[in-house]
Amino acid sequence: MLEIKNLKASINNKDILKGLNITIKPGELHAIMGPNGSGKSTLANVLSGKNGYEISGELKYQGENLKEIPIEERAQKGIFLAFQYPTEIPGVNTNNFLKTSLNKVKKAKGEKELDTLSFLKLLKEKSSELGIDEKMLSRQLNVGFSGGEKKKNEILQMKILDPNLTILDETDSGLDIDALKTIADGVNSSRDKKKSFLVITHYQRLLNYINPDFVHVLSDGKIIKSGCMELAEELEKKGYKKIN
Amino acid sequence: MIENFKINSSEIDKIKKISKEERNFRINNLNFFNEKGFPNKRQEDWKFSDLREIVQKNFKKLNVNKVNSKVKKINLIKDFDHNYIEVVNGELKSSNFKHEEKNKIKIKNFKNDNFLQESKDNPLICLNHALSDKGYHIEIEENYKFKKALIIYNLFTEDLKENILNSRNKIKIGKSSELHTIDLVINDSKYKFINNVYENIILENNAVYKNICIQNEKNDGYFHKFSKNKLASKSKYSSFIFPSGSKFNKLDLEFNLEGEDSECNLQSASFLNKDDHQEIKTKMNHLAPSCKSYQKVKNVLSSYGKGVYQGKIYVKDIAQKTNAYQLSKALLLSDNSEFNSKPELEIYADDVKCSHGATSGNVDEDSIYYLMTRGLNRKESVKLLIDGFLSEVVDMIKSNSIKKFVRSKLQGQIHGY
Ligand SMILES: Nc1ncnc2c1ncn2[C@@H]1O[C@H](COP(=O)(O)OP(=O)(O)OP(=O)(O)O)[C@@H](O)[C@H]1O
Ligand SMILES: [Mg+2]
């Protein structure tokens, strides 16, 4: 699904990723943990195609060179990033945006676009699964949403767009216990043989719910250790300083 | 090239059945205009919109003659029930108030009966006073609330060619009455022309006036409107305007809040591109205590679009407890688009709440990025953001059917971006 070899990324003359390697196969869920500022969000941004980075190394998604695929096509080909800090977009109606987005992705896949009625049906179903109040969806996109509501809205988009590779950037931060469980359920119910996940998190709690296949520690722009769930438990106990 | 455009007084003799007094008034105003010509940037009020230069650049000649156009049937809007009047090249042609009590409404061709010289500052107003001989005059009796909106269909015919049209309109709403109007411009013209309007709106005590102006088809018209609005005690005025698409458009709006507790709310949303030049100028005169005024002007500008907002708030010494707010926001989509704003506050009372703000900037790159990660390309993302930016004004419209109508008009326009 995703192959990253010796990835280096810098911005404004600051080196952030310094030779990162990771391979994610279809069906796998990888967790990345790491101290603040170690480059986790940068990795997520680079994978989604954000401009402004200077990049070297190999980036392959489903066998294709990711660097050559524009941002919107990555989304259309099934890469989804749930933002650490979802952008507030005044004036843009959330419902409308979700429908536009879904239909863009569907169209690119050669699938039939949804009319308003069937879209609303799908939306109703997915939002009730996540315990999202539909009134929120008639508001402006992310504007005035609480921290948790923003995160839920990201997961709702994941559910609607049904991507192949989902990157969650600290989607669990700032969630109450119930919401955390809801989101974990959302991830678990999306998992299958074909879908892959890259979950960036600071906490073991989410990982307890979603059972990662691999856990990596990212520090100063590199993966310094990889393992499985036990590594997350060890980190929780000892902190990053004692890991190497 | 018309370097020195002058109008012969024989044009005034063509206007039939006028008193000596009226003739003098017209001649005086014609002389003012001929002396000054089209306003240019050396006049403070026109410093961002040099109309003289614009006219010289774009017109070889100007025709003040009356146009006798054959008029096609106007396609009435079917989206919602409404009353209507049809105005062709500024002239009232027909009216239909089928949803209302007819004896509450007076409608006729405008006939001026006020020959006091108010100002010589704006040559276009003088020109209008000199030559206007058409327009509508609507009066609503006291205590009458319109059941349906009144659509004013403003048609410009396809045979207009280098004409300069002058018309004058008046709406007077009696005590405790209410009127909603929708000004709709339908532009069939194929050539350049100038449309110069003088408007007078009077709200008596407790009157309510709500207006929506939609003028958004691409056209070769050069528009100027001076609008003078008088608000008596506890009257409420609100106007949502969506002007754009004209080569030149200047809206010069003056509001006189003369009665206590009167309120004025003005909001505009425009998408200006391909050499459109548009100026909105407002003057809010708070002349009595406890009045409220609110202006919000939003502009999106792309390829060589030029937008101007000049907003002045004046608070007279006796106008205590004034609450006045003004906001201008511009979104610039290209380096060659331009937006100028000049806010002005002149306050002589001490117990007032007055504020103004102006922002202008590019589209937010983080927002574009976010939308693109959801499968929209850059252009689609920008379009969605423009739509969002302008929709904020549309969303303030209360009636759902009218809101939907306005939204579709606006979207059609952005679609071309
Ligand atoms: N545009 C930029 N210009 C300069 N430095 C940047 C820029 N963007 C990020 N950085 C720096 O790069 C480093 C990595 O940032 P990143 O957001 O990837 O960290 P992170 O691992 O996601 O941290 P956190 O756990 O706090 O979310 C930080 O030191 C940050 O300040
Ligand atoms: Mg981060």
Side-chain angles (χ1 to χ4, degrees):
Chain A
M1 177 73 67
L2 183 70
E3 254 182 282
I4 305 175
K5 278 190 197 143
N6 196 25
L7 174 65
K8 291 180 184 163
S10 64
I11 192 163
N12 301 331
N13 292 322
K14 182 179 161 67
D15 296 330
I16 303 174
L17 299 179
K18 301 172 180 171
L20 184 138
N21 298 297
I22 197 168
T23 301
I24 302 179
K25 297 209 175 78
E28 289 178 352
L29 191 151
H30 291 236
I32 290 192
M33 305 181 83
N36 295 129
S38 56
K40 302 181 298 298
S41 294
T42 303
L43 173 64
N45 289 341
V46 167
L47 290 175
S48 69
K50 188 171 186 173
N51 297 327
Y53 295 100
E54 226 168 296
I55 297 170
S56 70
E58 200 175 294
L59 270 178
K60 269 195 178 154
Y61 171 68
Q62 294 182 330
E64 277 186 83
N65 180 359
L66 197 55
K67 286 189 235 165
E68 278 160 18
I69 309 176
I71 308 177
E72 73 272 23
E73 281 178 33
R74 297 186 193 198
Q76 292 163 1
K77 288 178 193 277
I79 297 182
F80 179 84
L81 165 62
F83 282 66
Q84 182 174 4
Y85 304 108
T87 315
E88 297 197 3
I89 308 189
V92 172
N93 175 278
T94 308
N95 266 325
N96 265 347
F97 154 73
L98 291 172
K99 180 170 170 239
T100 311
S101 166
L102 174 62
N103 279 338
K104 287 302 296 180
V105 171
K106 277 196 170 295
K107 197 173 164 192
K109 284 191 200 160
E111 290 173 17
K112 207 171 150 260
E113 295 175 45
L114 288 190
D115 57 37
T116 306
L117 227 60
S118 21
F119 169 75
L120 287 177
K121 197 169 152 257
L122 175 76
L123 187 65
K124 209 183 174 87
E125 184 193 318
K126 301 293 179 195
S127 53
S128 78
E129 272 175 30
L130 294 166
I132 291 175
D133 183 0
E134 273 178 275
K135 272 195 219 109
M136 187 180 98
L137 303 175
S138 58
R139 283 165 49 188
Q140 303 176 31
L141 184 52
N142 292 324
V143 177
F145 287 19
S146 76
E149 285 169 344
K150 282 181 185 161
K151 298 292 175 85
K152 280 191 182 178
N153 189 31
E154 296 291 289
I155 295 299
L156 175 65
Q157 292 173 49
M158 174 192 91
K159 283 294 197 184
I160 287 175
L161 298 178
D162 195 26
N164 302 319
L165 173 65
T166 300
I167 305 153
L168 303 180
D169 191 358
E170 291 195 34
T171 304
D172 54 334
S173 294
L175 288 182
D176 66 48
I177 304 160
D178 293 342
L180 187 75
K181 180 85 175 48
T182 314
I183 278 183
D185 289 345
V187 171
N188 286 333
S189 62
S190 292
R191 284 180 78 172
D192 67 26
K193 296 200 292 291
K194 289 187 193 136
K195 296 202 159 63
S196 309
F197 291 83
L198 183 64
V199 178
I200 296 167
T201 182
H202 285 296
Y203 308 106
Q204 189 198 341
R205 187 183 283 148
L206 174 73
L207 301 181
N208 286 339
Y209 286 123
I210 59 178
N211 261 317
D213 301 302
F214 299 93
V215 176
H216 310 276
V217 179
L218 179 65
S219 177
D220 193 24
K222 278 185 197 158
I223 303 282
I224 54 160
K225 196 159 186 172
S226 295
C228 43
M229 197 51 199
E230 286 76 48
L231 179 56
E233 285 157 17
E234 193 187 334
L235 281 171
E236 191 93 355
K237 278 190 212 115
K238 295 188 184 163
Y240 292 113
K241 286 206 179 94
K242 296 200 178 117
I243 296 282
N244 38 48
Chain B
M1 194 77 77
I2 39 169
E3 283 294 346
N4 221 338
F5 179 65
K6 296 235 187 316
I7 297 171
N8 199 294
S9 64
S10 65
E11 295 299 333
I12 289 173
D13 298 328
K14 290 180 190 163
I15 304 169
K16 303 225 164 61
K17 284 189 241 163
I18 52 173
S19 65
K20 208 165 180 173
E21 191 190 12
E22 177 164 356
R23 197 186 126 81
N24 282 340
F25 174 75
R26 287 179 182 271
I27 293 282
N28 280 339
N29 277 289
L30 192 70
N31 291 340
F32 287 136
F33 176 79
N34 282 339
E35 232 170 79
K36 290 210 170 149
F38 284 103
N40 68 5
K41 62 169 176 250
R42 280 195 291 278
Q43 278 159 274
E44 186 62 20
D45 281 353
W46 294 83
K47 72 173 183 185
F48 300 112
S49 302
D50 193 327
L51 186 59
R52 186 178 303 176
E53 187 187 288
I54 292 170
V55 170
Q56 279 176 1
K57 226 195 234 163
N58 294 289
F59 287 85
K60 286 197 194 67
K61 60 179 174 89
L62 269 171
N63 222 327
V64 286
N65 289 338
K66 226 177 145 131
V67 262
N68 278 318
S69 316
K70 262 202 234 128
V71 178
K72 63 155 197 189
K73 235 186 119 32
I74 292 177
N75 288 326
L76 300 178
I77 287 162
K78 300 203 173 61
D79 305 56
F80 45 90
D81 288 340
H82 61 272
N83 307 287
Y84 65 86
I85 63 175
E86 292 178 307
V87 179
V88 178
N89 298 332
E91 188 168 357
L92 176 65
K93 290 287 184 187
S94 74
S95 63
N96 185 324
F97 289 93
K98 64 180 168 194
H99 300 287
E100 311 301 328
E101 292 171 32
K102 310 268 180 322
N103 60 339
K104 303 289 186 188
I105 303 154
K106 266 191 232 145
I107 171 134
K108 55 186 177 189
N109 280 302
F110 181 81
K111 190 93 187 71
N112 191 17
D113 53 9
N114 174 10
F115 303 117
L116 287 171
Q117 191 62 44
E118 49 185 333
S119 151
K120 302 173 210 170
D121 294 344
N122 185 342
L124 288 174
I125 295 181
C126 296
L127 179 67
N128 189 288
H129 286 342
L131 296 179
S132 66
D133 62 340
K134 50 190 187 260
Y136 55 83
H137 181 168
I138 301 171
E139 283 199 32
I140 318 296
E141 295 286 308
E142 297 182 359
N143 294 309
Y144 183 71
K145 287 191 167 49
F146 262 60
K147 296 182 180 66
K148 301 280 178 199
L150 166 66
I151 298 192
I152 301 166
Y153 292 97
N154 293 285
L155 174 70
F156 294 96
T157 54
E158 56 180 344
D159 53 351
L160 288 175
K161 193 170 184 179
E162 295 176 322
N163 293 89
I164 175 160
L165 307 168
N166 288 283
S167 63
R168 203 163 161 174
N169 307 316
K170 182 172 178 177
I171 297 178
K172 185 172 169 187
I173 305 171
K175 283 190 187 115
S176 306
S177 288
E178 179 162 351
L179 172 68
H180 297 194
T181 60
I182 298 172
D183 254 287
L184 195 65
V185 174
I186 303 165
N187 210 321
D188 286 347
S189 67
K190 301 270 186 299
Y191 302 99
K192 293 169 182 169
F193 68 96
I194 297 178
N195 188 49
N196 183 25
V197 180
Y198 183 103
E199 178 184 79
N200 194 197
I201 294 173
I202 297 163
L203 275 65
E204 297 198 327
N205 293 350
N206 290 306
V208 175
Y209 179 57
K210 292 188 182 178
N211 162 255
I212 292 169
C213 253
I214 305 168
Q215 171 181 15
N216 65 354
E217 286 161 22
K218 266 272 167 232
N219 69 84
D220 276 340
Y222 292 70
F223 290 82
H224 171 260
K225 175 161 110 173
F226 175 72
S227 176
K228 192 170 179 156
N229 301 274
K230 181 171 149 179
L231 282 72
S233 176
K234 292 197 171 67
S235 64
K236 285 196 171 75
Y237 174 107
S238 86
S239 187
F240 295 93
I241 58 178
F242 305 96
S244 59
S246 305
K247 283 271 170 283
F248 177 85
N249 189 22
K250 176 156 176 168
L251 298 170
D252 185 346
L253 315 172
E254 178 183 308
F255 298 89
N256 294 303
L257 295 105
E258 294 183 8
E260 282 187 40
D261 295 307
S262 55
E263 289 179 28
C264 176
N265 175 7
L266 176 83
Q267 307 202 24
S268 83
S270 294
F271 179 69
L272 305 173
N273 71 350
K274 306 211 177 78
D275 295 315
D276 292 351
H277 179 132
Q278 177 162 288
E279 169 167 342
I280 296 176
K281 177 170 171 269
T282 58
K283 189 160 184 228
M284 268 312 146
N285 293 319
H286 281 263
L287 307 172
S290 309
C291 297
K292 277 189 198 143
S293 70
Y294 183 90
Q295 303 107 70
K296 187 185 222 170
V297 173
K298 297 191 110 180
N299 278 291
V300 176
L301 302 116
S302 93
S303 56
Y304 294 98
K306 182 171 176 183
V308 181
Y309 178 56
Q310 300 202 65
K312 179 164 181 175
I313 298 172
Y314 169 88
V315 182
K316 201 177 168 181
D317 51 3
I318 58 158
Q320 301 293 359
K321 305 255 182 268
T322 285
N323 194 335
Y325 182 76
Q326 183 195 98
L327 180 68
S328 159
K329 280 188 166 183
L331 199 56
L332 293 136
L333 302 181
S334 77
D335 295 340
N336 43 42
S337 53
E338 183 184 330
F339 183 75
N340 293 294
S341 85
K342 188 182 136 200
E344 245 185 302
L345 299 176
E346 196 179 324
I347 301 172
Y348 297 101
D350 43 31
D351 183 14
V352 299
K353 257 195 227 154
C354 242
S355 63
H356 67 86
T359 62
S360 89
N362 303 326
V363 206
D364 178 41
E365 282 299 326
D366 283 342
S367 301
I368 295 177
Y369 167 57
Y370 185 87
L371 296 173
M372 287 178 79
T373 63
R374 299 321 189 223
L376 286 75
N377 65 30
R378 191 176 172 89
K379 198 160 188 157
E380 290 157 343
S381 305
V382 173
K383 244 184 225 180
L384 202 62
L385 293 171
I386 301 173
D387 186 40
F389 180 81
L390 296 176
S391 289
E392 220 186 39
V393 174
V394 185
D395 286 342
M396 301 301 293
I397 297 172
K398 285 210 182 78
S399 153
N400 274 328
S401 51
I402 296 177
K403 186 178 351 201
K404 219 170 129 191
F405 175 74
V406 174
R407 186 181 293 280
S408 74
K409 286 272 176 196
L410 207 64
Q411 271 166 351
Q413 192 187 340
I414 295 167
H415 206 76
Y417 163 67

